[in-house]
Amino acid sequence: MNNPNGDPTPRTIEQVRQAIAALREIFDAKFYGYDKAIDLLQEASNRQPTPGTVDERLTALKEIVEIRFHELDVRTNALALSNKNSIDLALQAAKEAAAKSENAVSKQIEAISAQHSQAVSSLETRINDTKEQVITIVAGGQGSRQSYGVIYAIAGISISFVGVMVLIISKVI
């Protein structure tokens, strides 16, 4: 169906219009896709920090860290001072307790020494009395039975003396 005058036929014109409409839809879809891709890229770009914002955030973070370290130094110094004061007070209390303990031990030693002196004096008196009795018995010429009695008495007194000495020494130690 050739048209003798060369003009396009109405059907050809309709087909051209349909082809143009189809191309328009294809181009609209492509442009819409490109617009969506550009929007997505823009959105992703907006989420990514720029070098300037990264520098600002790092500077702010550095300032926060420096403040925290300064606060930590202040707290550590305060704690060290508090610990030093506590240790000084504890050492002073220990010195006072040691002095009191030393005084108490000195008093105990003096008391034990006084008891020891008294016990020794008492034993010396008993020994002297026993000696006098032995001398009297020996000088008087009384029998050997009385001599044995005196010896037993001296032995008993000696054993008592040793027992008292052991008791006194064990209290001192």
Side-chain angles (χ1 to χ4, degrees), residues 10-142:
R11 185 177 163 119
T12 305
I13 293 174
E14 183 59 33
Q15 286 178 346
V16 168
R17 283 186 186 153
Q18 286 177 357
I20 290 174
L23 284 175
R24 182 172 288 148
E25 283 181 27
I26 291 172
F27 282 124
D28 284 346
K30 281 188 177 184
F31 287 138
Y32 179 77
Y34 289 144
D35 288 344
K36 274 299 206 189
I38 289 171
D39 289 343
L40 289 173
L41 285 173
Q42 183 64 42
E43 188 178 314
S45 173
N46 289 343
R47 280 186 275 161
Q48 297 295 324
T50 63
T53 59
V54 170
D55 288 342
E56 289 173 7
R57 289 179 183 174
L58 285 177
T59 302
L61 183 62
K62 180 181 175 186
E63 289 174 3
I64 290 171
V65 168
E66 286 176 354
I67 290 170
R68 293 283 169 92
F69 274 121
H70 177 70
E71 290 173 354
L72 183 62
D73 287 342
V74 169
R75 288 182 193 150
T76 303
N77 290 338
L79 183 61
L81 181 62
S82 174
N83 287 343
K84 181 187 178 298
N85 291 340
S86 297
I87 290 171
D88 289 345
L89 290 174
L91 288 175
Q92 183 63 31
K95 285 179 185 178
E96 291 172 4
K100 287 179 182 178
S101 177
E102 187 177 322
N103 288 338
V105 169
S106 294
K107 288 179 182 179
Q108 285 180 342
I109 290 173
E110 289 172 3
I112 291 170
S113 178
Q115 288 176 350
H116 178 266
S117 296
Q118 185 180 9
V120 169
S121 174
S122 173
L123 287 174
E124 284 177 352
T125 304
R126 285 185 185 171
I127 290 172
N128 288 335
D129 290 343
T130 307
K131 276 188 204 177
E132 289 176 11
Q133 288 176 357
V134 169
I135 291 173
T136 304
I137 291 172
V138 172
Q142 296 180 3

